[in-house]
Amino acid sequence: MGVSGGSGGSQVLTMDTLVRLGRGLRAPGTPRRLAVPEGMTVPLGCDAVGVPVQLSRELVSRLPRVGCVYADDTHWWWIVPADSDYALEWPRPAQYATGAVVPDAPVVPFLVHRAEGTLPYTPPIPLYLALCRLTGTTPNWSRPVSSAG
């Protein structure tokens, strides 16, 4: 699906382009990028999901696999493949950080858990479902669809 890029122009904007443009509109802060540990690769790119500390401790036991996790005073940041927010609305109070750039962090969060192997990722779907369960949020695909237009 594409959207025409202007008045009479032939440029077509894909959904991928629109998502990336929308991300660029987010408010600036003091961004800090999470550095993947040496020896790890990120073939799928790298984003992060920030979860308050209290919920994060509960999440660990509910996940089949935990990737690299970073922490600051208020959040744990879970490394997930890039675009893990595509068609997903992560439940509040989670924060999604594109490019693993943590907004408004006074310091760079420190590594509290290193993934086994060479991939830093926590699988995003189990993380999403566990977070939905802890927050009492219905996953996107389970919500009723309205036919009202």
Side-chain angles (χ1 to χ4, degrees):
M1 176 176 136
V3 176
S4 178
S7 57
S10 62
Q11 180 182 11
V12 174
L13 300 176
T14 65
M15 181 61 85
D16 211 28
T17 302
L18 293 172
V19 168
R20 294 197 189 284
L21 287 172
R23 287 179 177 163
L25 297 175
R26 293 185 180 158
T30 306
R32 310 261 186 200
R33 184 176 303 279
L34 301 176
V36 173
E38 193 171 319
M40 293 196 142
T41 61
V42 287
L44 302 175
C46 188
D47 289 347
V49 177
V51 178
V53 172
Q54 292 76 15
L55 285 177
S56 294
R57 292 185 179 147
E58 292 182 55
L59 278 175
V60 172
S61 64
R62 296 173 182 246
L63 296 172
R65 181 179 179 282
V66 176
C68 289
V69 181
Y70 297 79
D72 58 32
D73 291 340
T74 60
H75 289 83
W76 284 13
W77 295 91
W78 306 74
I79 298 295
V80 294
D83 300 325
S84 292
D85 63 336
Y86 182 75
L88 276 184
E89 185 179 322
W90 286 82
R92 295 210 183 277
Q95 298 178 37
Y96 195 86
T98 303
V101 175
V102 180
D104 301 323
V107 296
V108 177
F110 60 94
L111 184 67
V112 293
H113 184 270
R114 182 185 168 115
E116 293 181 19
T118 60
L119 298 175
Y121 307 122
T122 295
I125 298 300
L127 178 62
Y128 174 80
L129 290 173
L131 191 55
C132 283
R133 180 142 222 174
L134 284 175
T135 61
T137 304
T138 302
N140 281 13
W141 54 79
S142 297
R143 295 181 188 155
V145 177
S146 172
S147 62

